[in-house]
Structures are given as structure tokens and as C-alpha cells.
Amino acid sequence: ECDVVIEAAFENIGLKKDIFQKLGKACKDTAILCTNTSYLDIDEIADASEHPERVIGAHFFSPANVMPLLENVKGKKTSSKTIATAMKMGKVLGKVTVLAGNGFGFIGNRMFEPYTQEAILLLEDGVSPQRIDSVLGPENYGMAMGPLRVLDLAGNDIGYRIRQEDYYLYKPKIVKGRRGETWTKLADELYNLGRYGQKTKKGWYNYEGREALEDKEVLDMCEVHRSKFNLKNLENQISDEEILERCVYPMINEGFRILEEGVALRPSDIDVVWAYGYGFPKQRGGPMYYA
């Protein structure tokens, strides 16, 4: 008898399709079926329900009771009524709601990928986690939290599991050159050490409560990684300005691609997503305004 159902299972397309196949049969024929997926193909999930016109992405940001953003994602067959209902639902829940088109990572997480990948490439270049997060964090550029702290908060095990999925776009066999070949192996090594982030008190940092402390084990891991791939330690040659540009500019470039593809309706939608979902400094107006 539910009017709206929101699914929030792990990011596995087979699991999601199985759930929606069952929801399509179990729910009344006016029910809106929402998936909380943050990366997956809405159309593929919707088709499994046999009622794709009533399926929409409803990406709540974690923790959902705290984060104000709701990223609704329309599929090719999502009806106007379903879209309107989902947008109204966001307002009723007190969320800042943005409508996105379908595609890997939609708006927010698609831009988050190159941002965090570049942070890990800077680790490969010898820059410490604390320096990267200091340049980008609240004391300097103004992000609510630096990229490596964010990864620790989200869970490095979650990132690892996503990288194993077929839908992940940045596998070494897909992305040619250093960006695809090495950074995933450094992130995977962190996972292999059991450093999942705040929940295990060890990630890119050690944690005492919520305080992030630099850890020699991580610095040593990065040094071994550089030796394995014959990479040089370039930290003394890298300025704070370069750290900022290398992380923020790829994110902005991805934002322009999102606009070109019609995944975002307007630049301000991207800025709203990043201001309310990722802690982008509001005084800078959002990544597209900043550009």
C-alpha cells in the first residue's frame, strides 16, 4: 500500500535489479519506486521493474538525516508525474533537491571521481595526506573536509568494492596511462592493509576519535608504491597552488562535460550539488561559478 518505496541496497546492479523486479510485482500500480543508487544505470534498474515510468533515482547523501542534498535522477522512461512527485517529496522532507540525468555517478559522484583520483596521484608524487587536505580543506581553499579525509569518512572498503564492479569507468584496462594504471593499486593497497577509514580508526590517517593523525605506515606504503612503479618523490617541486589546481580543475572539467551531455540542466545545479552535498565552500559559489 506504500505510495513511495526507496531502495538503499549496496551498489551492485544484479542485486538492485532483483529488488526492483520484486517491487514491480509487489507494489500497487501507482507507487513511485526510488533507488538510492549513487552510480548505477537508472534505466537498467527501471526496466527490471517492468514499470520504468514509475522508477526514479533518489540519491540521498550520507548521513541522510544530516546532509541536506537530494539528487533525483530521471531515466529515459521516467514519467513527468514521477519526476514531479520525487521533487515534491524532496521539499516535503526539507531537502535541497536537484534533478539530474542518467549516467555514471550522475552529477556529484561523477565529478568526485577525478577530484579524489588526483589527490591519490599527488600521494604518488610524494605529497603527504595532511598537506593535500590542508590546501583544500577549511583552513585554506575552504572545502568542509579534504579529499582524503572524505574517503576515510565514506569508507575505503566501499571505494574498493565499487572499483571491482563492471560499471566502474576508471579501471586500468579502460583508462590508458598513469592515471588508470597506478592510483587504483595504491588505493587497493590501503584496503589490503585493512585501513577502511574512520570506522576502523585507520585509513589514509590514524584516528583518535575524529581527530586525523598522520601515520608513518601510510607514508611508507606510498614510498614502496613509488619504488614499485619507478615513480619519483616530487613533493619539494609541487606548490600548494599546483595541489589546488590538480584537484579542482579536473572536477570542473568534468562539470563542463556533464553540461554538454545534458546530465545537468544548468551550471547552478552543479554548484548546488557540490555546495550542499560535498561541502564546497559557498563563498566561492560552487565549482562552475568558480570556473
Side-chain angles (χ1 to χ4, degrees), residues 61 63-70 90 93-97 275-277 282:
F61 281 65
N65 63 318
V66 175
M67 297 298 288
L69 184 70
L70 171 60
L93 294 174
K95 297 294 185 181
V96 177
T97 310
Y276 288 94
K282 292 180 182 178

Side-chain angles (χ1 to χ4, degrees), residues 25-38:
K25 295 176 180 177
C27 296
K28 62 183 181 181
D29 59 11
T30 57
I32 304 298
L33 307 179
C34 303
T35 173
N36 187 46
T37 181
S38 52

Side-chain angles (χ1 to χ4, degrees), residues 6 20 25 33 46 67 73 101 112 141 146 159 167 203 272 274 280:
I6 303 172
F20 272 78
K25 295 176 180 177
L33 307 179
M67 297 298 288
V73 186
F112 187 68
Y141 185 68
Y167 64 81
V272 167
W274 271 81
F280 197 93

Side-chain angles (χ1 to χ4, degrees), residues 61 64 77 103 107 115 128 133 169 175 224 250 279-280 288:
F61 281 65
K77 300 176 184 177
I107 295 174
Y115 172 65
S128 69
D133 284 348
L169 293 183
V175 182
V224 170
F280 197 93
M288 307 318 292

Side-chain angles (χ1 to χ4, degrees), residues 3-289:
D3 294 318
V4 177
V5 177
I6 303 172
E7 162 276 318
F10 176 69
E11 295 289 272
N12 178 277
I13 191 67
L15 175 61
K16 302 269 191 187
K17 289 169 67 174
D18 181 60
I19 291 171
F20 272 78
Q21 184 180 40
K22 293 174 181 176
L23 288 175
K25 295 176 180 177
C27 296
K28 62 183 181 181
D29 59 11
T30 57
I32 304 298
L33 307 179
C34 303
T35 173
N36 187 46
T37 181
S38 52
Y39 283 97
L40 296 174
D41 186 341
I42 299 297
D43 292 325
E44 190 171 354
I45 294 170
D47 286 342
S49 74
E50 297 185 0
H51 302 283
E53 73 283 356
R54 293 194 280 117
V55 176
I56 191 167
H59 179 206
F60 289 83
F61 281 65
S62 182
N65 63 318
V66 175
M67 297 298 288
L69 184 70
L70 171 60
E71 187 182 34
N72 285 332
V73 186
K74 63 179 180 178
K76 289 181 180 178
K77 300 176 184 177
T78 307
S79 71
S80 298
K81 182 178 179 180
T82 297
I83 293 170
T85 302
M87 298 301 285
K88 179 71 177 294
M89 177 182 72
K91 289 185 177 181
V92 170
L93 294 174
K95 297 294 185 181
V96 177
T97 310
V98 170
L99 182 64
N102 191 23
F104 173 81
F106 317 128
I107 295 174
N109 279 340
R110 178 166 163 185
M111 293 171 67
F112 187 68
E113 278 290 329
Y115 172 65
T116 51
Q117 287 174 24
E118 197 58 47
I120 296 174
L121 288 171
L122 282 161
L123 290 174
E124 289 189 332
D125 284 339
V127 184
S128 69
Q130 279 190 332
R131 186 178 172 208
I132 295 167
D133 284 348
S134 175
V135 168
L136 291 157
E139 62 268 38
N140 288 298
Y141 185 68
M143 298 291 287
M145 191 179 290
L148 299 167
R149 290 280 308 271
V150 171
L151 290 174
D152 277 353
L153 179 63
N156 296 306
D157 55 325
I158 302 299
Y160 175 84
R161 290 171 67 182
I162 289 172
R163 290 194 297 277
Q164 310 314 305
E165 295 288 338
D166 290 340
Y167 64 81
Y168 188 66
L169 293 183
Y170 297 98
K171 293 178 181 292
K173 65 181 180 181
I174 300 173
V175 182
K176 295 181 180 180
R178 182 182 158 201
R179 183 182 178 199
E181 182 59 28
T182 61
W183 80 267
T184 55
K185 291 182 171 61
L186 183 58
D188 290 352
E189 182 58 28
L190 191 80
Y191 169 84
N192 293 335
L193 292 173
R195 304 185 67 105
Y196 300 159
Q198 284 191 16
K199 58 189 169 188
T200 58
K201 300 188 183 301
K202 289 184 176 183
W204 294 109
Y205 297 91
N206 269 355
Y207 289 89
E208 294 183 2
R210 291 191 176 274
E211 184 181 5
L213 304 172
E214 198 158 76
D215 188 347
K216 187 176 183 300
E217 183 180 34
V218 171
L219 299 179
D220 290 344
M221 178 191 75
C222 292
E223 185 60 44
V224 170
H225 176 83
R226 278 190 292 276
S227 298
K228 181 177 180 181
F229 289 96
N230 196 29
L231 302 173
K232 295 179 180 180
N233 188 326
L234 304 173
E235 179 171 27
N236 293 335
Q237 302 175 37
I238 296 176
S239 66
D240 288 355
E241 182 180 14
E242 180 178 337
I243 293 171
L244 174 64
E245 291 178 354
R246 282 177 58 175
C247 290
V248 174
Y249 287 5
M251 174 211 309
I252 290 170
N253 288 341
E254 201 67 36
F256 282 115
R257 294 187 186 100
I258 285 169
L259 287 169
E260 288 174 349
E261 296 167 14
V263 173
L265 295 175
R266 56 187 72 87
S268 59
D269 284 352
I270 294 175
D271 289 341
V272 167
V273 166
W274 271 81
Y276 288 94
Y278 295 85
F280 197 93
K282 292 180 182 178
Q283 70 273 18
R284 301 189 186 277
M288 307 318 292
Y289 181 88

